[in-house]
Amino acid sequence: MKTIPPTCPEPEVGRKYWRSLDQLAAAPEFRQWMEREFPSGASEWEDPLTRRHFVKIMSASFMLAGLGLAASGCRRPVEKLEPFGKQPDDYVYGTSQFYATAMPTRGGAIPLLAKSYEGRPIKVEGNAQFPGSNGGTDRWAQASILNLYDPDRSRRFTKGGTNATPEAAADFLNELSKKAQENGGEGLAFLLECNTSPSRLRLQKLISKKFPKAKWFIHEPIDTDIHRRAASQAFGASVKPQFNYDKAKVIVSLDCDFIGAEEDAHNSIRKFVDGRRIETPKSEMNRLYVVEGLMTLTGANADHRLRVPASAVAQIAQALAAAVTGQGSSTSPAGVDAKWISECAKDLVANKGASLVVAGYRQPLAVHLLANAINSALGNIGKTVVLHGAPDLKEGNLADLAKSLNAGEVETLVLLGGNPAYSASAELDWAKTQRKAKTVVRLGYYEDESFANSDWHFPAAHYLESWGDALTSDGTLVPVQPLIQPLFGGLTEIEVLARIAGVDKVSSYEVVRETFAEIGGGDEVAWRKFLYNGYLEGSAAKPVSARLNSGAIAEAVSGLKSGAPSKENLE
């Protein structure tokens, strides 16, 4: 504990500034002030008794008004400060410090440089040292600092809605691990959010090996994983696409708001803008065609925008594919100018290998398969569309978990993040369905709808409070490095999974170090360089080659429904 010293002068120096109250009362300037402030009571000042009483009453006001000079400083209240338990070697008082970290997202992490002042994170910006990033972020990353200090975040461990201790929560997880070891994980189910953490993936594989009867499920309110599933189905391998907007001269967006609502927007924006720059007098800007039902940021930047009902996007994609490949019918939907589609297709064909067709997550799987077919026909695969290998654990979805719960197959349900009681489809009636598990364990950032139907609740740690790791959209390994201890003792996903897995080292730091030792080596120098740079050099995913599965495309297209919205066919 430190005590702030008073700001008054030293006694031997300060005596010359002091005057008695009688001397102060006799001063001409004080008499003038009295007559201005208290004209009706100034005459009473001549009475010694009244004057003494008045001075006693008003002395505090005189001090606050600055009368008595240094006297006001000596009345400063003593304040208690919490110092560093052990001051860091490189700490300079009053100077901000910066640390490389990353913000995990559904499909990849955003490399960041976090600013810390007096031990508190106050700002995040993009990591300019990360290859090709130019220090870019998005609005979600910029706003994420507010979530750290959100007064509504979960602050307590609870059991049955009442407060519990972190030790009791740890004991429960240990008992859950022992029980799973005895029965092979029978009746144990996990519901996760999408994540690219290698440490989480490693623990998932470890738990699946130790407890083969345990089941895994994934739920996201927004299906951004559709890009991976569509590419995997289109090319017959577990792959995910990376879109190089900067290498495309012609871009066609099929209801894909890649500047705004899609995943990896911070990279998409930078790459798209790079293609808009005119470097030489002979260079040309890229051209953007957008087909959408609602105005988006991408549509606002389009050179050619076609507004159609969202259900008509699939028919336009089918007509565009027919026009590009010369196979099938290129008939345009009702109300759509056929010339728009033909001119768009002509521009794509004129820029083979330098064009790009992308579909948005709101569109059905068939539209994404058609986009892959068009890109393949144009020779864009490996150029504007790069395929990377993607792990496929074959997790079930929320509907699959609901079936298991209704069948009484789940004894213990572990919810790691998310709020399915709010975001699940209405027909699942998740609030009641969740309670069909005997025990519900929930790691959550808020005490929300899913909290009310949980037996155990653990507060989740913010990423600025957590040790972790993640992969960016191009597969580069980045660290999630904390700048502060968890404000409310929160846990991370990997800490909960490590305890259930029954491993010896359960802290998130130790789990991440073990994962890094497998990927980047166990060298201490390499680890420190990894944290300092904010990424592992040379860890980006290598492109893979794959051949289009035409049969999968034809099968998906055959199931497309046609028809404009009407009172019988609502959209």
Side-chain angles (χ1 to χ4, degrees):
M1 305 292 286
K2 274 187 180 179
T3 303
I4 294 181
T7 57
C8 63
E10 293 295 329
E12 61 272 18
V13 179
R15 288 196 184 97
K16 63 181 180 180
Y17 295 107
W18 289 91
R19 300 192 226 176
S20 68
L21 291 176
D22 289 336
Q23 290 174 328
L24 178 63
E29 59 270 23
F30 181 78
R31 295 286 304 180
Q32 294 175 6
W33 177 81
M34 280 292 301
E35 291 174 358
R36 288 196 309 269
E37 296 295 325
F38 307 101
S40 61
S43 60
E44 298 181 7
W45 188 260
E46 300 299 329
D47 182 1
L49 293 177
T50 307
R51 180 180 63 186
R52 183 177 297 277
H53 178 70
F54 182 80
V55 168
K56 287 167 62 179
I57 297 297
M58 296 299 294
S59 59
S61 300
F62 297 159
M63 292 176 185
L64 291 176
L67 302 175
L69 303 174
S72 61
C74 289
R75 299 298 183 185
R76 179 176 179 178
V78 174
E79 297 181 7
K80 303 295 183 181
L81 300 181
E82 292 291 341
F84 286 112
K86 181 179 180 182
Q87 182 169 303
D89 295 336
D90 59 346
Y91 175 74
V92 179
Y93 179 79
T95 302
S96 297
Q97 294 176 299
F98 296 84
Y99 298 89
T101 185
M103 173 182 164
T105 64
R106 296 183 184 93
I110 302 177
L112 297 175
L113 198 64
K115 181 179 181 180
S116 176
Y117 184 78
E118 298 299 319
R120 298 290 186 269
I122 61 173
K123 188 71 171 68
V124 295
E125 291 294 347
N127 185 353
Q129 292 188 8
F130 188 83
S133 73
N134 197 30
T137 62
D138 61 14
R139 60 189 184 276
W140 307 113
Q142 291 292 330
S144 65
I145 192 73
L146 302 178
N147 285 346
L148 176 64
Y149 301 110
D150 188 349
D152 293 328
R153 62 180 289 192
S154 178
R155 305 184 180 199
R156 56 180 183 151
F157 291 80
T158 65
K159 179 183 179 182
T162 59
N163 292 351
T165 63
E167 293 76 16
D171 290 340
F172 169 78
L173 292 176
N174 293 334
E175 290 298 323
L176 179 61
S177 177
K178 292 178 182 178
K179 184 176 181 180
Q181 290 175 8
E182 295 171 356
N183 60 13
E186 185 175 2
L188 178 61
F190 296 87
L191 181 61
L192 314 173
E193 295 179 294
C194 290
N195 191 294
T196 63
S197 169
S199 289
R200 193 185 85 168
L201 179 61
R202 182 172 66 86
L203 289 173
Q204 278 185 257
K205 291 180 178 179
L206 178 61
I207 292 175
S208 297
K209 184 177 180 180
K210 294 181 68 173
F211 315 139
K213 296 181 182 179
K215 297 181 179 180
W216 300 88
F217 303 89
I218 291 284
H219 170 63
E220 286 287 354
I222 298 174
D223 186 14
T224 56
D225 191 50
I226 193 170
H227 297 284
R228 181 194 62 82
R229 289 189 285 108
S232 298
Q233 184 171 335
F235 296 99
S238 184
V239 295
K240 68 175 184 178
Q242 180 185 357
F243 303 117
N244 294 326
Y245 295 94
D246 54 334
K247 297 180 180 180
K249 295 297 183 183
V250 177
I251 302 169
V252 178
S253 165
L254 300 174
D255 195 25
C256 180
D257 185 20
F258 60 84
I259 292 179
E262 292 285 334
E263 279 290 298
D264 204 35
H266 69 290
N267 278 325
S268 301
I269 293 170
R270 177 182 55 79
K271 292 179 179 180
F272 174 71
V273 171
D274 285 345
R276 283 304 222 201
R277 292 192 177 97
I278 300 178
E279 302 295 344
T280 65
K282 294 184 179 180
S283 62
E284 297 180 357
M285 293 193 307
N286 59 25
R287 287 181 298 284
L288 174 61
Y289 297 79
V290 175
V291 181
E292 61 184 9
L294 297 174
M295 175 61 76
T296 64
L297 287 174
T298 304
N301 286 273
D303 299 295
H304 308 281
R305 179 177 180 268
L306 180 62
R307 186 185 67 167
V308 298
S311 58
V313 174
Q315 302 168 53
I316 293 175
Q318 193 171 3
L320 189 62
V324 169
T325 61
Q327 301 176 359
S329 174
S330 59
T331 304
S332 61
V336 176
D337 187 1
K339 186 177 180 181
W340 198 98
I341 296 177
S342 63
E343 290 297 323
C344 179
K346 187 185 298 184
D347 206 358
L348 286 171
V349 173
N351 290 274
K352 287 186 175 182
S355 55
L356 177 61
V357 179
V358 289
Y361 69 81
R362 290 183 290 259
Q363 289 298 311
L365 181 65
V367 176
H368 289 261
L369 292 173
L370 284 168
N372 281 289
I374 297 172
N375 285 320
S376 179
L378 292 171
N380 296 333
I381 306 300
K383 298 175 182 175
T384 59
V385 181
V386 178
L387 301 177
H388 298 297
D392 185 12
L393 293 180
K394 302 185 183 302
E395 300 101 334
N397 56 31
L398 197 64
D400 298 327
L401 176 56
K403 292 179 183 178
S404 296
L405 287 166
N406 290 326
E409 298 173 354
V410 178
E411 182 175 348
T412 302
L413 174 61
V414 181
L415 303 178
L416 298 179
N419 183 14
Y422 174 79
S423 59
S425 300
E427 58 266 20
L428 295 179
D429 193 10
W430 188 257
K432 293 182 179 179
T433 304
Q434 178 176 306
R435 279 297 353 148
K436 294 183 179 179
K438 293 182 179 179
T439 305
V440 179
V441 186
R442 198 280 179 106
L443 174 72
Y445 202 73
Y446 295 100
E447 294 186 7
D448 45 28
E449 291 82 359
S450 297
F451 165 83
N453 295 286
S454 301
D455 299 294
W456 281 91
H457 173 82
F458 308 148
H462 192 271
Y463 77 89
L464 291 173
E465 303 171 331
S466 308
W467 279 104
D469 51 20
L471 300 179
T472 61
S473 58
D474 68 349
T476 300
L477 179 66
V478 292
V480 179
Q481 185 176 185
L483 275 76
I484 189 174
Q485 288 283 352
L487 296 176
F488 305 109
L491 300 177
T492 64
E493 271 188 324
I494 57 179
E495 285 176 318
V496 174
L497 289 174
R499 286 194 177 275
I500 295 176
V503 297
D504 296 332
K505 299 178 180 179
V506 297
S507 75
S508 55
Y509 173 79
E510 292 172 322
V511 172
V512 173
R513 281 298 305 264
E514 288 186 352
T515 304
F516 181 79
E518 295 180 2
I519 300 174
D523 186 6
E524 182 69 19
V525 175
W527 168 253
R528 290 184 174 275
K529 185 178 180 181
F530 174 57
L531 296 182
Y532 179 81
N533 291 338
Y535 65 94
L536 178 62
E537 293 181 356
S539 62
K542 302 297 187 291
V544 298
S545 58
R547 181 174 295 180
L548 186 72
N549 183 1
S550 302
I553 306 295
E555 182 180 353
V557 171
S558 63
L560 280 176
K561 297 180 180 179
S562 61
S566 64
K567 63 180 181 180
E568 289 82 17
N569 184 26
L570 296 178
E571 179 170 298

